Every structure is written in structure tokens, then in C-alpha cells.
Amino acid sequence: MSITIESILSIINKIVDILLVWIIFYYILKSIRNNVKLTLIFKGVIIIIALKILSNVFNFVTIGLLLEYIIMWGPLALIIVFQPEIRTVLEQLGRSQLLGRHKVLTVDERERLVYEIIQTMDYLRKAHIGGLIVIERDVSLRDYIEKAKKIYGDISSELLISIFFPNNPLHDGAVIIQGDKISCAGAVFPTSNNLKSNRRLGTRHRAALGIAEETDCISLVVSEETGRFSIAVKGELFYNLTIDDIRMMLIDELRPKQDIEEVEEEETYEENK
């Protein structure tokens, strides 16, 4: 059987077609993973499918019929009820950087970043000055940066403290850090509607949690009233932390994914020995 150019092109076409489908699924699942609400929706869909399979296996007529209606009308209901979350996924796909974060920090750059942030937060706590610092990771925060006051300055505790100083017109907004640069100040984020979060939390805390629910960023908060530290990451708010807690969490979260995977492989290897 002779191989023609047409057959080779046909094979290449099919391979590219399959790759495109996998890439689309990859970025959809990645966006779902970075959004707490959509993760819960995805788990719910998996549970419904599993129940439907069990009802067919064990011939549960009533629950099978009910699940058929849910599967039939469920997608339309999800689109209507969870329209904001679906829009968020599409926005994340548009903001995502296909080649990963814009800059992979060296060990020295990460240490300096953590040091300057810790120095800033410690000063704000002692002075009872509120502050919200957000560190961009894989999901771009470009849309929020464009609406804020551009800075693009080197990271330093002096600059961060001056931004959050009460007489500064930008002190009420958030600072966004990209890599080891302060990109902007005065950024405004959507506040979280999570009913499980403490209703007594202020606007900064709800904004920190809101942007952490939508993206994979790290949100750091200093309370103006109490001077307490909080960090929001992966859709969860950790409240009333010490300065050492913040330092250790920052070091852990800012590690490159490759380093994390290597550590996990080493731990798995040690456990299997």
C-alpha cells in the first residue's frame, strides 16, 4: 500500500484536530480548577452522571427517570443560574497566558519579593494602616491593571508603604505585583459572595477572596482596624495569621511548579522505599 501526500496530510489533519480538542479541554479544566464555584459545579455534574450509571445498572426506574430529566434540562438550567461563573471561565481563558507566567523568578528574586512584602505588611500592622497586595500568577490580571493607576516600579517596601499611606489617593485600592514589579495601584476587584465567609469581614477581605476565587493569584490583606494579617489563595481565606505564617505561605506558593513537582516526587519515592 503506497503512502501518498494526501494520506499524510489527512493523518496530520487528524492529529492537529485531536490536539486542538485536548488543548481546549485542558484550558477549560484549568480554569475550572482555579475557580471554586465552578469546581463545585463540575463535581455536581460528575455525581449526577455517576448516579445515572448506577440507576441503569441496578434498574432504579424512578430515580433513573428523574435523572434523565435533570440531564436533559440541566445544561440549560446551569447556563441560566451560573451565567456569571461561565462568563468568568471565558474571561479567564482570554486572560490566561498560554506560555505560563510572564516571568519565572529566580531564587534571589523570590526571596527579595517575600522580604519586601513582609517588611511592608509588618509596618502597616504597626501603623494600623490597611492594605491589599495581590500577586499575579498564571492567570493574567491585565483587565484590572488597565483600569488602575499604572506604576511599573521595582518592588520595594518603601514604595508599597507610600502607596498605602492614608493621605495617598490610591491607598483604598489594591496593589498588583507582576513578577518582581509593582504594576499598578488603586485596583478594584469584585467582592466575594461566599456565604460561608465571615459577614464581619471588611471590603478588603471580601475583595481579596473575590479575586482569589476568580483567578490563581495570591491576595494579602492587612486589616486597618485590627492590624491582623490574612491571605486568600485558591478560593480560600486564611484569617488572623502571624507574620511568620505569611512568610512561609508566600515562600511555598511562589515556588515554581517544577520545583513543587520534584518535591512531591521525592516524597512519594521516600514513602515507597
Side-chain angles (χ1 to χ4, degrees):
M1 180 178 178
S2 61
I3 300 177
T4 63
I5 296 178
E6 287 78 8
S7 62
I8 294 175
L9 292 175
S10 177
I11 293 172
I12 294 175
N13 181 270
K14 292 178 180 178
I15 292 174
V16 172
D17 186 26
I18 294 172
L19 285 175
L20 288 175
V21 172
W22 277 109
I23 290 172
I24 292 171
F25 272 106
Y26 168 76
Y27 281 103
I28 289 175
L29 292 175
K30 184 179 178 182
S31 298
I32 290 175
R33 186 193 65 182
N34 293 331
N35 190 298
V36 177
K37 295 178 183 179
L38 286 175
T39 301
L40 296 176
I41 296 172
F42 184 74
K43 289 180 180 179
V45 171
I46 296 298
I47 292 173
I48 290 175
I49 294 174
L51 288 175
K52 177 59 179 174
I53 294 173
L54 289 175
S55 69
N56 291 339
V57 172
F58 294 101
N59 197 26
F60 295 150
V61 179
T62 305
I63 192 171
L65 183 62
L66 179 62
L67 289 172
E68 282 184 8
Y69 281 110
I70 293 176
I71 293 173
M72 183 184 303
W73 298 104
L76 180 60
L78 286 175
I79 292 173
I80 295 173
V81 176
F82 296 102
Q83 183 181 0
E85 285 74 19
I86 295 172
R87 185 178 66 241
T88 298
V89 168
L90 296 177
E91 290 175 351
Q92 287 181 2
L93 289 174
R95 292 198 297 260
S96 296
Q97 301 172 19
L98 297 179
L99 298 179
R101 76 179 62 176
H102 61 287
K103 180 181 180 181
V104 177
L105 299 177
T106 65
V107 175
D108 290 340
E109 288 172 335
R110 291 203 306 274
E111 289 179 353
R112 180 170 177 269
L113 174 64
V114 173
Y115 173 79
E116 298 294 344
I117 290 176
I118 293 299
Q119 290 293 105
T120 301
M121 296 182 70
D122 192 42
Y123 179 91
L124 296 179
R125 176 183 64 84
K126 293 175 180 177
H128 283 278
I129 298 174
L132 173 55
I133 302 172
V134 175
I135 304 173
E136 180 190 87
R137 293 203 278 186
D138 290 332
V139 178
S140 174
L141 299 175
R142 182 182 59 190
D143 291 348
Y144 300 103
I145 294 172
E146 289 177 351
K147 298 175 183 177
K149 183 66 176 178
K150 313 298 188 302
I151 294 179
Y152 296 115
D154 293 333
I155 182 75
S156 71
S157 58
E158 293 82 6
L159 178 55
L160 287 171
I161 291 170
S162 67
I163 291 172
F164 291 117
F165 196 74
N167 291 333
N168 192 318
L170 299 174
H171 80 282
D172 280 334
V175 164
I176 296 179
I177 296 175
Q178 292 179 305
D180 58 349
K181 304 290 183 183
I182 301 175
S183 293
C184 70
V188 178
F189 301 125
T191 57
S192 174
N193 293 320
N194 189 350
L195 297 178
K196 294 182 179 179
S197 62
N198 195 325
R199 294 181 182 274
R200 293 177 297 176
L201 294 178
T203 304
R204 283 194 182 93
H205 290 84
R206 293 198 299 271
L209 182 57
I211 193 63
E213 288 174 342
E214 289 193 1
T215 71
D216 63 344
C217 70
I218 304 171
S219 301
L220 302 155
V221 185
V222 181
S223 173
E224 184 175 353
E225 291 78 14
T226 64
R228 293 175 177 174
F229 301 131
S230 303
I231 184 169
V233 62
K234 299 174 183 175
E236 188 173 357
L237 179 67
F238 300 89
Y239 186 67
N240 196 17
L241 302 177
T242 66
I243 195 70
D244 290 329
D245 293 333
I246 295 291
R247 182 185 292 107
M248 295 306 297
M249 290 185 73
L250 275 178
I251 292 173
D252 184 59
E253 291 293 338
L254 289 173
R255 280 189 300 169
K257 292 180 179 179
Q258 183 177 359
D259 292 353
I260 297 174
E261 292 172 356
E262 289 177 356
V263 171
E264 291 176 348
E265 289 177 359
E266 290 178 1
E267 291 176 351
T268 303
Y269 175 75
E270 291 296 330
E271 291 176 356
N272 295 332
K273 285 180 66 177

